[in-house]
Amino acid sequence: MQFRSTDSYVAPPDLTLAVNAAVTLERPLLVKGEPGTGKTELARQVAASLGLPMIEWNVKSTTRAQQGLYEYDAVSRLRDSQLGDARVHDIGNYIRRGKLWQAFAAPGKVVLLIDEIDKADIEFPNDLLQELDRMEFHVYETGETIRAAHRPVVIITSNNEKELPDAFLRRCFFHYIRFPDADMLRRIVDVHFPGLKPRLLDEALSQFLELREVPGVKKKPSTSELLDWLKLILAEDLSPEDLRRPAGEVLPRLHGALVKNEQDVALFERLAFMARRQGR
């Protein structure tokens, strides 16, 4: 199985190589990068390219590793026992399968996405070490061991909010998605907006990349935000001339799609004020 770029996803050569290396090694692929660089979408496109079903586990700050394996609903069993329900004699009726169990028990190979693993508690990755390494776990309530019939393609994403343990990193194939250069951005835009007028794209990309290079920006606009901005530009039917900023202005038209916090807005306003003063 070989992953390649798809009609809706442009993968640079180093990312393609990383995915295929992880598949060959049968190791989880740990993907890091700025928010909005397509880490989550990568898993969906890998599944589409390889023709595999996908199971998605979205990690939150309250997520526990055990939830990915299974959960035992003792409260429901107690209630059923009080009501005299016959189901109570089979403890398996109260075991809820987690995403890892679903992936292990799937009839064929699947892509398992563990999305934003760094949102969870620091112990979360450690609690999954053996399960991801051996592709098996024990269900203590029933005494059975669940083993993966077909080793899934595991893709793990992180926004680098927390450092991941060395023992966990050792078991992964790692790739950092660098922010695309101008040529790659053009290819990405062409996938989503084929036929976009070159002059309009040149002006939009120029302003977008300038925003990212401004020193002190707390949150640089991402690829997904560029696509949102272009969608608005097309909806408003703006021309390259409409996009050009007046002298002394720093923020582009419809900048709310690109600048997402008040600190950065204030920064750009200060820069614009300074530019106007110097232009007097």
Side-chain angles (χ1 to χ4, degrees), residues 135-154:
M135 287 291 161
E136 65 178 40
F137 63 90
H138 187 70
V139 183
Y140 295 97
E141 289 77 5
T142 63
E144 61 183 323
T145 297
I146 306 301
R147 294 185 178 87
H150 305 276
R151 196 175 183 98
V153 177
V154 181

Side-chain angles (χ1 to χ4, degrees), residues 27-213:
R27 291 279 189 182
L29 173 64
L30 173 62
V31 184
K32 291 187 178 183
E34 292 180 29
T37 49
K39 299 185 296 297
T40 303
E41 185 61 23
L42 169 66
R44 300 188 181 111
Q45 296 300 329
V46 168
S49 176
L50 301 181
L52 300 176
M54 179 173 148
I55 296 174
E56 190 168 342
W57 185 12
N58 297 300
V59 177
K60 301 178 181 179
S61 60
T62 56
T63 303
R64 295 176 292 107
Q66 180 64 32
Q67 293 172 314
L69 307 179
Y70 68 92
E71 290 184 280
Y72 170 49
D73 191 354
V75 174
S76 293
R77 192 181 186 205
L78 175 61
R79 184 191 62 236
D80 288 348
S81 68
Q82 293 170 339
L83 296 173
D85 194 320
R87 295 174 69 251
V88 75
H89 300 295
D90 183 359
I91 198 171
N93 291 324
Y94 304 94
I95 300 291
R96 290 200 293 257
R97 296 184 178 189
K99 299 296 184 180
L100 264 72
W101 190 333
Q102 294 173 30
F104 290 1
K109 204 174 188 68
V110 301
V111 172
L112 172 64
L113 168 64
I114 305 176
D115 200 23
E116 298 188 333
I117 194 172
D118 52 326
K119 278 188 176 180
D121 184 84
I122 190 62
E123 291 303 319
F124 182 93
N126 281 330
D127 292 342
L128 291 177
L129 286 178
Q130 297 302 321
E131 289 78 7
L132 291 176
D133 194 28
R134 298 180 181 177
M135 287 291 161
E136 65 178 40
F137 63 90
H138 187 70
V139 183
Y140 295 97
E141 289 77 5
T142 63
E144 61 183 323
T145 297
I146 306 301
R147 294 185 178 87
H150 305 276
R151 196 175 183 98
V153 177
V154 181
I155 297 178
I156 304 169
T157 72
S158 169
N159 287 326
N160 245 357
E161 292 181 9
K162 293 189 185 81
E163 289 293 326
L164 298 174
D166 289 345
F168 180 81
L169 296 175
R170 193 167 61 246
R171 289 165 167 81
C172 298
F173 190 93
F174 172 76
H175 183 75
Y176 184 86
I177 298 182
R178 295 180 178 85
F179 192 81
D181 59 19
D183 289 339
M184 181 60 69
L185 283 174
R186 289 177 188 279
R187 291 178 58 191
I188 293 170
V189 170
D190 187 56
V191 166
H192 294 271
F193 304 105
L196 188 65
K197 294 179 180 178
R199 287 181 58 244
L200 181 62
L201 179 57
D202 288 344
E203 183 64 32
L205 282 183
S206 174
Q207 294 191 27
F208 172 77
L209 292 172
E210 282 179 17
L211 278 186
R212 285 187 52 86
E213 295 303 317

